[in-house]
Amino acid sequence: MMTGKRLVISALVLALVQIGFLSWIIAGRAAILRNGKEVLLKIEPVDPRDLLRGDYIILGYAISRIPVKMIANIPAGKFSSDDTSIVVRLKKGADGYWTPTTAWLGKAPALAAADEADIAGHVAEGWDLRSEGMTIAPDYGIERFYLPEGEGMAIQSDMRVRPFGIRLALASDGTAQIKALVDGDKTLFEEPLY
């Protein structure tokens, strides 16, 4: 009879640990959305549908292709990238969109100024670093945005005619979360905090 009670108690403890872990993940995302530095990136659509999750757009940004010459700390004699992190410094342009100004493999050597923001990403192994004309393609975790069913194709068509943007929230460590999809000054879809 004691074994049955222990099993129930163990199951309850495991369930509480799992609920606590999921709550921690959700609260972390919500904290970035609520308190992160807001930046606006101009986007380019790639693909409108995922059979399992519905309509979405794959997003390309000015930060999706970083010129090798923009990376400030490539070691001499380094021919290709390792599986590593990257920080890209952004600055707001006159048109309201933020664009990359410099990048570092690993961490930035100093904090961004008040009119700048850093976004953290990941670079896969094997990108060519030998030529200044080369580019690398970091992954920031913001390359896909899901839309309500039936909205993807219409929005993708509109994106080919006029500029759209993604409003991001950036945490102090550069972690990015998508806040909203915007069409000019109009917010089309906004991500809920929870």
Side-chain angles (χ1 to χ4, degrees), residues 1-17:
M1 185 116 29
M2 265 319 238
T3 311
K5 286 183 180 180
R6 284 186 183 167
L7 185 61
V8 169
I9 291 172
S10 295
L12 286 173
V13 168
L14 181 61
L16 289 174
V17 168

Side-chain angles (χ1 to χ4, degrees), residues 62-193:
I63 60 173
S64 295
R65 302 294 278 173
I66 299 296
V68 168
K69 66 182 178 183
M70 189 179 282
I71 302 172
N73 65 341
I74 298 174
K78 184 83 169 155
F79 297 123
S80 66
S81 66
D82 297 324
D83 188 30
T84 188
S85 60
I86 188 169
V87 173
V88 178
R89 179 123 329 140
L90 305 173
K91 190 162 181 86
K92 189 174 185 178
D95 62 356
Y97 291 103
W98 293 63
T99 57
T101 59
T102 192
W104 297 272
L105 297 175
K107 296 186 179 223
L111 294 175
D115 64 339
E116 299 173 322
D118 288 343
I119 185 168
H122 181 265
V123 177
E125 182 177 6
W127 288 95
D128 188 351
L129 301 175
R130 291 176 280 188
S131 170
E132 286 191 16
M134 300 302 293
T135 62
I136 62 171
D139 179 8
Y140 303 98
I142 55 169
E143 288 76 20
R144 188 178 285 203
F145 186 76
Y146 284 89
L147 301 163
E149 190 69 34
E151 301 283 337
M153 292 301 284
I155 289 176
Q156 182 173 346
S157 296
D158 288 346
M159 284 182 178
R160 300 194 188 288
V161 178
R162 61 186 184 274
F164 278 62
I166 286 289
R167 198 167 50 237
L168 296 178
L170 294 174
S172 59
D173 68 354
T175 302
Q177 292 290 330
I178 294 175
K179 278 185 101 164
L181 173 66
V182 297
D183 178 0
D185 292 335
K186 181 182 175 188
T187 299
L188 298 178
F189 298 101
E190 195 158 7
E191 286 290 320
L193 286 179

Side-chain angles (χ1 to χ4, degrees), residues 44-65:
E44 304 163 355
V46 179
D47 190 357
R49 185 137 179 88
D50 178 335
L51 294 176
L52 298 176
R53 295 183 68 184
D55 285 359
Y56 73 94
I57 47 178
I58 292 180
L59 306 169
Y61 307 94
I63 60 173
S64 295
R65 302 294 278 173

